[in-house]
Amino acid sequence: MDGAMRLRALLCVSLLTLQAMPARGSPKRPKGNEVCLSLAQATAPSPLTVNGVIIRSLKVNCKVTSRFAHYVITSQVANTADTAREVAFDVEIPKTAFISDFAVTANGKAFIGDIKDKVTAWKQYRKAAISGENAGLVRASGRTMEQFTIRLVVGPRSKVMFRLTYEEVLKRILTQYNIVVKVKPRQLVQHFEIDVDIFEPQGISKLDAQMSFLSKEQATKLIKKSFSGKEGHVLFRPTVGQQQSCPSCSTTLLNGDFKVTYDVKREKPCDLLVFGNHFAHFFAPQNLTHLNKNLVFVIDVSTSMEGQKVKQTKEALLKILGDMRPGDYFDLVLFGTGVQSWRGSLVQASTTNVLAAQDFIRRFSLAGATNMNGGLLQGIEILNKARESVPGVSNHAPILIMLTDGEPTEGVTDYYQILKNVRNAIGGKFPLYNLGFGHDVNLNFLEIMSMENNGRAQRIYQDHDATQQLQGFYDQVANPLLVDVELQYPQDTVSALTQHSHKQHYAGSEIVVAGRVADNKRSNFKADVQAHGERQEFKITCLVDEEEMKKLLQERGHMLENHIERLWAYLTIQELLAKRMKMEGEEKAKLSDKILQMSLAYQFVTPLTSMTMRGMEDEDGLEPIIDKPEEAAFLLNTIHSHRSAFVLPAEQQPSPTDPSSGVQTLPDIVTGVDTDPHFIIHVPQKEDTLCFNINEEPGVVLSLVQDPNTGFSVNGQLIGNKARSPGQHEGTYFGRLGIANPATGFQLEVTPQNITLNPGSGGPVFSWRDQASLRQDEVVVTINRKRNLVVSVEDGGTFEVVLHRVWKGSAIPQDFLGFYVLDSHKMSARTHGLLGQFFHPFDYKVSDLRPGSGPTKTDATMVVKNHQLTVTRGLQKDYSNDPRHGTEVTCWFVHNNGAGLIDGIHTDYIVPDIF
């Protein structure tokens, strides 16, 4: 392979980025957040050059034809230096999109991706995956995007061009289609351009463009947009000066979202396009009266919803109820260990009833486990009874919405039985929408349940805007227009139809059906639509305007025909993938084969295919591979790192004997803190253990480890025992840990629900159900499913976080965390904190053993750090090896918050936040 270009590493996460880095053998580059600073401050012959690399051009071209969007991102990079340089091409694309092409051209030689079935593609990478490397270039990134990244070493005075193609069908949400391009070049670009070309046969009714990184006034000056008739155009082509963050700066202000929104004219109730052997039918009739709705909210009130989740849920429900129309009917069902309904039957959304319901929402409290089955069946029963017994509501649109943050733990907990119970109870009469709050839910289960009942599932991300996410989902289903919508086509004319039966149609949305049309049958082709509207039947027949089809072909040519066929293929594959989720055995294998054949035929990278690139190799002789991540694979994001990041799924974990696996052999006794919170200090030179407690209020953050030489820190926030009895001691436990390594920009936030990487930069969130090994620069994190995680810092320490889950019979009714130090000998002598101060040898003497306050207790006198203390021999538990039962450890207990043992007093260790 040409020495001018070698594939160096295969995974880095950023936004739409091309950035320069020294090649191997160059001086060691700075790490983490320091990288951007060093690039900006580098001495360069011009503001365009960073470390000898110039981005000659970076262009995003998007062509939309009848909702089918075809994107091509092209970038040309030149290395003007006399030595090799490493560059990274980083692109975020929508999760809903399929990659269809990728090519790299260097020194006149092209390397083009080849799509094949995933099993074949990954055979050659099995060795790499096991050894700790991951050749995949695409990783999940944030809520709606996926990250595509490739790194190349470009030879001196050489250039390289990247070209990535991906496609998606735009979905109409709240009266508009959205095109989003993530932008973050990290350095100035000689020729930067985003060009969006839209062709809609119905005609364009509105078009707008915005940028999150520019004010509205600046965007108006820099964005050229126009639309007329069927065509719309948006162009963003800033000069180098317009990209600069200030007139004398060499840094760029391009950093965020570029968003184009548009809608089409609705002069006809439906739009029918037929080209070649495929058709597309777009249905979104206007001027229909909104149907009143029968709405039941089923809300999880188990104790895991405490804190921000229940606060944000209540805020959203209060707003939603306030927005309901007087003609709507509703009720509320709460489920924890038991099930409680507000009224037990539907009531009208009158002002009096809405105010009473809002008061109920403000006052309800959390209780117990998660009786999901009971809550759903109660909500279904309320809707079913209303159809039979409440006068005047039988023509309303019934809707069931469930919100949960966990898995069923009370009542019926078997997934298959719950699916069966819900399916039988609903009986196809109305849709069920499931909202999964946070990453501790089984979203696949919720998606299957919704799919079986004519609805859909959506994750609500545990973030500051969760209230807005809940409100945003409700807004999409708040205004039903039609129920029982059937789109029918002549049976002898069409085949391979996408979904053409919908339980409800909502204002601001659109139904899209596509299929094949038999040869010589176009003259018989039509679409009959039947549905129920407000107090009347809705019927319409849509015909093909042959003359209009000819005109459209003249205007757009083969592209239009090709895009309609690919629109059909895209929708078909997406629907088959959704059906595949709920299948097993031979039935699933047959469907998978069908998806695979379609993916190969239309050259889409889907969950069943992979793209390989021949001729490009990394230092281990491996070629790059491009995959479609599945929803459940929450993967590593290293926005502040220039090294590769590695994520291994459970079945590809290294063996315990592999030093790269991060698996640790735990010592018999370790230093750590657990339960209420009990600090255990192992003193190996004494072959003894000391213990102390810290009694502080919930919400307090304590410094556990702080190394001033490196900045490495571990802080923990206390949570309270909410279920204590009056007068009972309020137990506190660690409910949130923050582990930070500023030298590499690494941050890890750990709670009993989630594990968040680089939370300040919008990094990915992992669930405790994940099994993964992550690497970012000098830090390796190993998540052991539902048990613990281990953090290893090169030239630092190794630490373990233990997950304590609520289990029946537990004396502690709340999930919490334990923290243990497995290895600290490389930490600096200046390391401090409630645990860190004991990482290096210290001396103490115990004498004058005597009977203590109880018959089994022994008191003694301890001299430590020039203090004489009374200590008591007792037992604590070390959960580092057994998170459920623990191992008893005998220790000398130091009273009064460790006074005399710890440096200073315990309040000296209170810090403002976990980072």
Side-chain angles (χ1 to χ4, degrees):
M1 184 176 177
D2 193 330
M5 183 179 67
R6 292 179 283 106
L7 186 62
R8 253 290 290 281
L10 298 175
L11 181 61
C12 164
V13 181
S14 183
L15 300 175
L16 178 54
T17 306
L18 269 158
Q19 58 197 83
M21 290 152 285
R24 180 164 297 179
S26 300
K28 189 174 181 181
R29 58 179 175 255
K31 298 168 184 172
N33 294 319
E34 298 174 14
V35 172
C36 295
L37 182 60
S38 67
L39 292 181
Q41 294 176 340
T43 302
S46 82
L48 288 170
T49 305
V50 175
N51 196 36
V53 172
I54 295 178
I55 305 176
R56 296 290 187 196
S57 69
L58 183 52
K59 298 182 179 181
V60 182
N61 180 267
C62 173
K63 291 189 181 297
V64 180
T65 307
S66 292
R67 287 54 148 197
F68 186 81
H70 177 91
Y71 304 81
V72 179
I73 299 177
T74 308
S75 185
Q76 296 183 5
V77 185
N79 177 15
T80 65
D82 294 325
T83 57
R85 291 290 185 267
E86 183 181 288
V87 299
F89 175 69
D90 299 307
V91 180
E92 282 198 27
I93 67 174
K95 287 182 179 179
T96 52
F98 291 147
I99 290 173
S100 54
D101 188 33
F102 180 61
V104 177
T105 304
N107 299 327
K109 186 175 182 180
F111 304 87
I112 300 173
D114 177 29
I115 296 177
K116 58 185 71 172
D117 74 276
K118 180 170 286 189
V119 174
T120 300
W122 270 94
K123 280 181 180 178
Q124 56 191 303
Y125 299 103
R126 182 67 58 179
K127 178 182 176 182
I130 291 175
S131 67
E133 299 285 333
N134 192 330
L137 302 184
V138 186
R139 290 293 174 262
S141 176
R143 300 177 185 178
T144 61
M145 308 299 280
E146 291 169 349
Q147 187 75 37
F148 176 98
T149 304
I150 189 169
R151 292 171 175 274
L152 299 178
V153 172
V154 181
R157 304 292 173 181
S158 300
K159 60 184 179 180
V160 61
M161 184 178 77
F162 303 91
R163 189 188 72 241
L164 177 70
T165 303
Y166 59 96
E167 298 165 308
E168 66 171 334
V169 173
L170 302 177
K171 184 178 181 180
R172 188 172 187 246
I173 299 174
L174 298 175
T175 74
Q176 65 185 27
Y177 307 96
N178 301 298
I179 300 165
V180 179
V181 177
K182 294 280 188 178
V183 181
K184 192 176 182 181
R186 289 200 181 183
Q187 72 181 77
L188 301 173
V189 181
Q190 193 167 7
H191 299 289
F192 184 93
E193 178 179 292
I194 298 177
D195 189 357
V196 179
D197 177 73
I198 302 170
F199 182 85
E200 289 289 355
Q202 289 170 267
I204 297 173
S205 63
K206 66 177 182 179
L207 175 67
D208 196 10
Q210 297 149 356
M211 293 179 282
S212 64
F213 46 87
L214 289 180
S215 67
K216 193 170 184 180
E217 182 180 343
Q218 289 174 305
T220 302
K221 292 178 182 178
L222 294 180
I223 298 176
K224 295 179 181 179
K225 57 186 178 183
S226 62
F227 67 96
S228 177
K230 303 181 184 73
E231 298 184 12
H233 189 232
V234 176
L235 180 65
F236 175 54
R237 188 187 287 159
T239 65
V240 173
Q242 290 166 338
Q243 296 173 46
Q244 290 174 291
S245 53
C246 71
S248 60
C249 294
S250 59
T251 53
T252 178
L253 55 74
L254 304 185
N255 181 3
D257 292 353
F258 184 92
K259 185 175 181 180
V260 176
T261 59
Y262 78 94
D263 199 13
V264 301
K265 296 177 181 177
R266 308 283 170 178
E267 295 168 355
K268 297 185 294 184
C270 53
D271 183 52
L272 199 55
L273 301 177
V274 183
F275 297 103
N277 289 107
H278 293 85
F279 80 89
H281 183 188
F282 305 97
F283 177 74
Q286 300 300 288
N287 303 318
L288 295 178
T289 304
H290 290 178
L291 286 167
N292 289 320
K293 56 186 176 290
N294 298 335
L295 180 62
V296 175
F297 291 99
V298 180
I299 306 298
D300 184 346
V301 294
S302 61
T303 52
S304 60
M305 284 283 290
E306 72 173 350
Q308 281 295 104
K309 283 191 281 190
V310 70
K311 178 177 180 289
Q312 292 169 322
T313 297
K314 288 187 175 188
E315 288 173 354
L317 286 172
L318 292 172
K319 178 70 167 61
I320 288 168
L321 289 178
D323 291 342
M324 293 185 73
R325 296 191 300 271
D328 294 336
Y329 281 70
F330 74 101
D331 197 6
L332 302 159
V333 175
L334 310 179
F335 66 92
T337 300
V339 178
Q340 173 190 7
S341 59
W342 173 54
R343 286 289 186 262
S345 61
L346 293 181
V347 297
Q348 190 171 357
S350 64
T351 301
T352 301
N353 285 334
V354 166
L355 289 174
Q358 289 175 327
D359 184 59
F360 173 76
I361 289 168
R362 292 186 186 97
R363 288 186 295 103
F364 78 68
S365 57
L366 304 181
T370 308
N371 190 351
M372 184 184 297
N373 182 77
L376 282 167
L377 294 184
Q378 177 98 348
I380 294 167
E381 183 181 6
I382 290 170
L383 285 175
N384 283 336
K385 282 185 176 180
R387 292 167 67 92
E388 303 163 1
S389 59
V390 181
V393 304
S394 59
N395 292 326
H396 290 189
I399 301 172
L400 185 65
I401 299 176
M402 179 184 72
L403 172 70
T404 182
D405 77 330
E407 302 181 20
T409 60
E410 184 73 24
V412 179
T413 58
D414 180 76
Y415 285 153
Y416 292 101
Q417 189 61 49
I418 293 174
L419 292 174
K420 181 180 178 181
N421 292 347
V422 171
R423 188 170 57 244
N424 290 342
I426 291 179
K429 296 186 288 292
F430 48 81
L432 164 62
Y433 296 100
N434 285 324
L435 303 179
F437 206 140
H439 283 286
D440 210 32
V441 294
N442 187 332
L443 195 64
N444 283 351
F445 168 60
L446 298 184
E447 285 177 332
I448 292 170
M449 190 194 305
S450 291
M451 193 190 320
E452 290 184 342
N453 294 284
N454 301 293
R456 61 186 174 89
Q458 179 174 314
R459 190 184 300 281
I460 301 300
Y461 290 84
Q462 193 172 341
D463 210 338
H464 63 91
D465 65 341
T467 299
Q468 288 72 34
Q469 294 178 57
L470 290 165
Q471 176 72 39
F473 172 84
Y474 172 76
D475 289 344
Q476 295 178 46
V477 299
N479 298 300
L481 299 174
L482 298 169
V483 297
D484 299 324
V485 184
E486 296 285 342
L487 297 94
Q488 300 172 337
Y489 309 88
Q491 291 186 359
D492 62 342
T493 303
V494 300
S495 61
L497 286 175
T498 60
Q499 183 181 352
H500 53 97
S501 175
H502 294 262
K503 206 63 198 170
Q504 295 181 0
H505 171 60
Y506 302 99
S509 67
E510 179 178 65
I511 293 173
V512 181
V513 182
R516 287 177 174 161
V517 181
D519 292 334
N520 305 316
K521 292 284 188 177
R522 281 180 54 164
S523 58
N524 300 328
F525 186 74
K526 65 175 183 175
D528 292 314
V529 184
Q530 297 181 359
H532 298 287
E534 174 63 21
R535 302 185 184 279
Q536 61 181 358
E537 295 295 304
F538 179 93
K539 289 186 178 182
I540 190 169
T541 297
C542 305
L543 302 174
V544 179
D545 187 334
E546 290 289 351
E547 290 302 313
E548 181 63 19
M549 296 302 105
K550 291 177 183 177
K551 288 181 183 178
L552 292 173
L553 280 176
Q554 290 173 356
E555 293 178 51
R556 210 65 171 179
H558 175 69
M559 180 187 292
L560 184 57
E561 183 176 341
N562 179 59
H563 279 199
I564 294 301
E565 181 175 354
R566 294 184 73 79
L567 178 147
W568 164 78
Y570 172 97
L571 291 177
T572 300
I573 291 171
Q574 292 282 27
E575 290 181 6
L576 293 177
L577 286 169
K579 290 179 182 178
R580 177 173 169 264
M581 289 172 52
K582 61 179 182 179
M583 293 184 175
E584 294 183 345
E586 186 178 345
E587 190 178 31
K588 183 174 183 177
K590 287 181 179 178
L591 189 60
S592 296
D593 186 63
K594 185 175 181 180
I595 297 169
L596 174 61
Q597 296 311 314
M598 283 197 70
S599 301
L600 294 173
Y602 288 92
Q603 289 292 282
F604 286 140
V605 176
T606 71
L608 296 180
T609 56
S610 295
M611 178 184 287
T612 59
M613 300 191 71
R614 302 302 301 272
M616 296 174 62
E617 296 180 347
D618 70 358
E619 58 198 18
D620 296 318
L622 294 171
E623 300 169 351
I625 187 166
I626 299 168
D627 276 325
K628 178 74 174 174
E630 299 203 50
E631 213 292 307
F634 303 112
L635 302 156
L636 183 60
N637 186 338
T638 57
I639 286 177
H640 298 299
S641 172
H642 283 281
R643 289 189 182 178
S644 299
F646 304 93
V647 178
L648 305 180
E651 63 272 18
Q652 295 177 342
Q653 287 294 303
S655 67
T657 58
D658 188 336
S660 69
S661 69
V663 176
Q664 304 287 329
T665 302
L666 302 183
D668 292 335
I669 303 174
V670 297
T671 290
V673 55
D674 218 321
T675 60
D676 182 18
H678 302 311
F679 288 77
I680 302 174
I681 310 300
H682 179 48
V683 189
Q685 64 272 23
K686 293 278 191 179
E687 296 185 355
D688 201 358
T689 305
L690 308 181
C691 302
F692 62 92
N693 294 348
I694 295 293
N695 297 314
E696 265 300 340
E697 297 296 316
V700 166
V701 180
L702 298 173
S703 171
L704 302 179
V705 179
Q706 175 68 48
D707 187 343
N709 284 13
T710 63
F712 179 85
S713 67
V714 181
N715 297 322
Q717 185 172 35
L718 298 173
I719 55 175
N721 179 356
K722 306 263 176 160
R724 71 187 189 282
S725 303
Q728 178 187 354
H729 163 68
E730 179 172 12
T732 53
Y733 315 89
F734 282 110
R736 187 168 165 247
L737 292 171
I739 304 173
N741 195 43
T744 58
F746 172 87
Q747 288 185 339
L748 191 72
E749 180 179 356
V750 187
T751 70
Q753 292 76 42
N754 302 314
I755 302 152
T756 307
L757 183 72
N758 297 334
S761 307
V765 181
F766 298 79
S767 164
W768 279 100
R769 290 196 310 275
D770 293 326
Q771 177 82 27
S773 180
L774 328 172
R775 185 187 302 274
Q776 180 179 323
D777 285 307
E778 299 174 352
V779 185
V780 177
V781 180
T782 303
I783 303 172
N784 297 309
R785 188 173 185 268
K786 292 186 176 181
R787 181 181 174 89
N788 66 355
L789 67 83
V790 177
V791 178
S792 297
V793 183
E794 186 180 327
D795 296 326
T798 302
F799 309 93
E800 178 190 16
V801 179
V802 171
L803 172 67
H804 292 279
R805 284 289 198 210
V806 171
W807 49 278
K808 289 186 178 179
S810 171
I812 303 169
Q814 188 171 13
D815 299 344
F816 63 96
L817 304 170
F819 178 77
Y820 293 89
V821 182
L822 307 185
D823 180 16
S824 61
H825 77 278
K826 292 183 180 180
M827 302 289 287
S828 81
R830 298 175 63 205
T831 302
H832 213 259
L834 285 168
L835 293 175
Q837 62 188 291
F838 302 108
F839 285 180
H840 296 283
F842 66 100
D843 193 23
Y844 64 89
K845 292 182 180 179
V846 177
S847 61
D848 188 23
L849 276 66
R850 54 194 181 273
S853 58
T856 61
K857 292 186 178 181
T858 300
D859 283 352
T861 299
M862 175 183 288
V863 177
V864 58
K865 296 182 179 180
N866 296 320
H867 297 286
Q868 182 171 302
L869 311 175
T870 297
V871 295
T872 303
R873 200 64 169 166
L875 292 175
Q876 296 291 6
K877 280 198 172 183
D878 178 336
Y879 292 89
S880 57
N881 282 298
D882 184 353
R884 180 160 179 170
H885 300 102
T887 303
E888 287 191 341
V889 175
T890 303
C891 63
W892 287 111
F893 183 80
V894 180
H895 302 274
N896 302 321
N897 293 307
L901 173 64
I902 63 173
D903 295 335
I905 58 175
H906 81 278
T907 53
D908 295 339
Y909 299 86
I910 296 177
V911 292
D913 207 344
I914 61 169
F915 295 119

